[in-house]
Amino acid sequence: MSRIITLLTDFGYQDGYVGAMKGVILGINPRAVLVDISHEIEPHDITAGALVLADASGWFPSGTIHVAVVDPGVGSQRRPIVVETSRGYYVGPDNGIFSIVYERETVLRTVALENPRFMAPSVSRTFHGRDIFAPAAAFLSLGVAVDALGPPVQRGVVMRIPRPRVRGDAVWGEVIHVDRFGNLVTNISEDAFKSFVGGGDKRIWIGSERVAGLRESYEEGEEDEVFGIFGSSGFLEISMKRRSACSKLGVGRGASVRVERSLKGGVES
């Protein structure tokens, strides 16, 4: 059977970890279609893994199998699981990496990966990506039923993903991700922004730094200007033209962001 299996890890490419996982999958199902979402998640950064996975997985066809391994607790009591949703399957550690999936998709069932028939003959304490998650994904791609992989369990661990909040005449949010280009991705969605601001005036701040305003594209920004833009994920980003806003401002994830309604004339755009 030809079936899409995506891979997201914090393994990088210096070592052979990603290659080993692909070798296991193809050894079980040579016709599997393997797609890399990312292997450059910062080591052990479960939140970043959850955000990148959620941003990409929705663009794949229904029935896709997503393997996500950002797993600082490998070898501990955390469970290996597979989550079946109305759109596909998610295979990985039960450590919160599927938190956004639980919000956005209808979960049909969750099982713990405990059946040794669908694991490597010898399971390492430090490489469950190769020995548990890759085989599970490969057998799913061959049509093995989810229930065969292990017993049903309650919905997995859910991380707290920061939400924007309204205080007086301002929406307060924070930076939840920094992408490769140094764009500071906030948790303020375009819908929330428009709902709060409407067509009125607004001011955007990150920490104590006033942002120049909203731009429709990166090219619209002036040289050395920090501005706001709604990126492809649908969230407000603090960005610069051909430069890293992260480096320029010296801030990263967790930095406070606020959008104020201006009581004075003059729409900032």
Side-chain angles (χ1 to χ4, degrees), residues 33-115:
V33 177
L34 302 181
V35 179
D36 297 303
I37 290 179
S38 176
H39 299 292
E40 299 296 336
I41 304 299
E42 286 295 315
H44 316 307
D45 194 339
I46 299 169
T47 300
L51 291 165
V52 173
L53 175 67
D55 192 34
S57 60
W59 298 99
F60 283 86
S62 179
T64 296
I65 300 162
H66 302 281
V67 182
V69 189
V70 180
D71 195 15
V74 63
S76 69
Q77 294 301 307
R78 70 97 186 91
R79 299 176 300 187
I81 61 172
V82 56
V83 181
E84 181 183 4
T85 77
S86 55
R87 284 194 49 80
Y89 303 86
Y90 294 84
V91 182
D94 184 18
N95 61 8
I97 197 166
F98 302 133
S99 295
I100 304 176
V101 170
Y102 293 137
E103 291 184 4
R104 296 184 177 179
E105 301 185 21
T106 301
V107 175
L108 304 179
R109 75 192 85 189
T110 303
V111 305
L113 298 174
E114 295 184 3
N115 190 337

Side-chain angles (χ1 to χ4, degrees), residues 128-155:
H128 287 181
R130 178 194 65 195
D131 300 337
I132 296 179
F133 302 131
F139 283 114
L140 283 172
S141 75
L142 289 175
V144 171
V146 173
D147 291 340
L149 301 178
V153 294
Q154 295 296 315
R155 190 178 76 165

Side-chain angles (χ1 to χ4, degrees), residues 175 177-178 182-186 206 236-239 245-246 249 251-252:
V175 175
H177 181 60
V178 181
N183 297 309
L184 302 163
V185 183
T186 78
I206 178 165
L236 176 67
E237 299 178 7
I238 308 301
S239 305
C246 176
L249 299 175
V251 300

